[in-house]
Amino acid sequence: MNARRRAITRGLFCAGLMLGMPALMSVRTASGRLTADFERFHRMMDSQFGAQRVVVSRAWEQMLRAAVERSELEQVQMVSQFFHQYVRYRLDINLYGMEDYWASPLETLGHGLGDCEDYAIAKYVSLRMLGISDANLRMIYVQARIGGSRSTITQAHMVLGYYPQPNAEPLILDSLVRDIQPARDRPDLQPVFSFNAAGLWTPGGTTSVASPTARLSRWRSVLDRIENEGLVW
């Protein structure tokens, strides 16, 4: 995040606090705007998961507010660390009773559990809320080699890619690996396609090949739930 955008973001937060509205977070970015009505989010957390989980949703809010004045790389590190601290890995079949379910941030933080897609979605939403552009973030669907890069056993997996520049090598945020690593250090991951709220790309592609919401019904569904939770692009 450049100095001018940090100054604008700080101003928006300070204005909200001065007006007595600390629960509403609003960040304008080059590619759009994501707002969070935290009081709505906390009420829904209390209603669906109980007061104990509101402690976690408030910790998420506090982390995001603390990250506002940090550099983009620091924001990426803080968000990744938060979800590794507060969410444990759990397969969808064991948590939701279905093979593949994409959870919203409310559901992931409410359960304190999630699989690879849930981690990636929650981190993506958090970083978009901090003003990082869609041009710098993609969820990457991969085939992961189980047991290392030389293994012949693979399974479907999803990670979040942070691109310091739109065409740069991404840093990989993985649900199963706490360390954030450059893509070149993850030869165990073979990209299949990537997407965000703005587009869908094939490996190596520079132009979106399809609408992500038209092609990915689970993505469309989770975006609807995210909006209902008070997080709106």
Side-chain angles (χ1 to χ4, degrees), residues 27-226:
V27 179
R28 188 179 298 278
T29 71
S31 60
R33 177 176 176 172
L34 180 64
T35 59
D37 183 345
F38 279 113
E39 284 309 305
R40 175 182 176 85
F41 192 89
H42 299 323
R43 287 195 303 270
M44 292 183 68
M45 182 67 75
D46 188 20
S47 174
Q48 296 183 33
F49 297 98
Q52 289 185 330
R53 300 311 298 175
V54 177
V55 174
V56 177
S57 66
R58 291 194 182 279
W60 180 55
E61 176 188 356
Q62 291 166 5
M63 180 275 295
L64 291 173
R65 291 186 180 280
V68 169
E69 296 187 20
R70 304 294 185 89
S71 69
E72 281 195 358
L73 181 57
E74 289 174 317
Q75 291 172 345
V76 169
Q77 293 167 335
M78 290 175 70
V79 165
S80 183
Q81 181 180 9
F82 177 87
F83 285 100
H84 280 286
Q85 178 180 351
Y86 285 95
V87 179
R88 291 179 291 118
Y89 194 90
R90 182 69 57 85
L91 293 174
D92 287 333
I93 192 65
N94 297 324
L95 184 57
Y96 297 104
M98 57 185 72
E99 290 293 337
D100 195 12
Y101 179 81
W102 293 12
S104 68
L106 182 78
E107 293 167 314
T108 297
L109 291 176
H111 289 292
L113 301 165
D115 70 353
C116 57
E117 294 96 350
D118 305 332
Y119 276 84
I121 290 167
K123 292 175 185 180
Y124 168 79
V125 171
S126 299
L127 293 170
R128 287 288 287 114
M129 290 171 65
L130 289 170
I132 296 181
S133 170
D134 259 336
N136 302 94
L137 296 168
R138 292 187 195 176
M139 281 161 285
I140 308 171
Y141 184 84
V142 302
Q143 285 294 327
R145 295 185 181 90
I146 307 304
S149 59
R150 296 183 179 180
S151 173
T152 58
I153 303 172
T154 64
Q155 71 175 30
H157 187 51
M158 187 181 290
V159 298
L160 178 65
Y162 164 67
Y163 299 73
Q165 301 296 329
N167 295 320
E169 176 189 30
L171 298 176
I172 302 301
L173 287 70
D174 194 337
S175 57
L176 301 178
V177 179
R178 284 180 174 267
D179 293 340
I180 299 172
Q181 299 175 316
R184 64 176 176 272
D185 293 339
R186 296 299 307 273
D188 56 313
L189 304 180
Q190 181 63 43
V192 178
F193 65 87
S194 62
F195 68 98
N196 55 28
L200 185 150
W201 294 265
T202 56
T206 58
T207 303
S208 173
V209 297
S211 163
T213 53
R215 292 287 295 274
L216 303 171
S217 61
R218 291 185 182 90
W219 182 228
R220 183 171 63 251
S221 174
V222 75
L223 287 178
D224 289 342
R225 276 176 276 132
I226 288 169

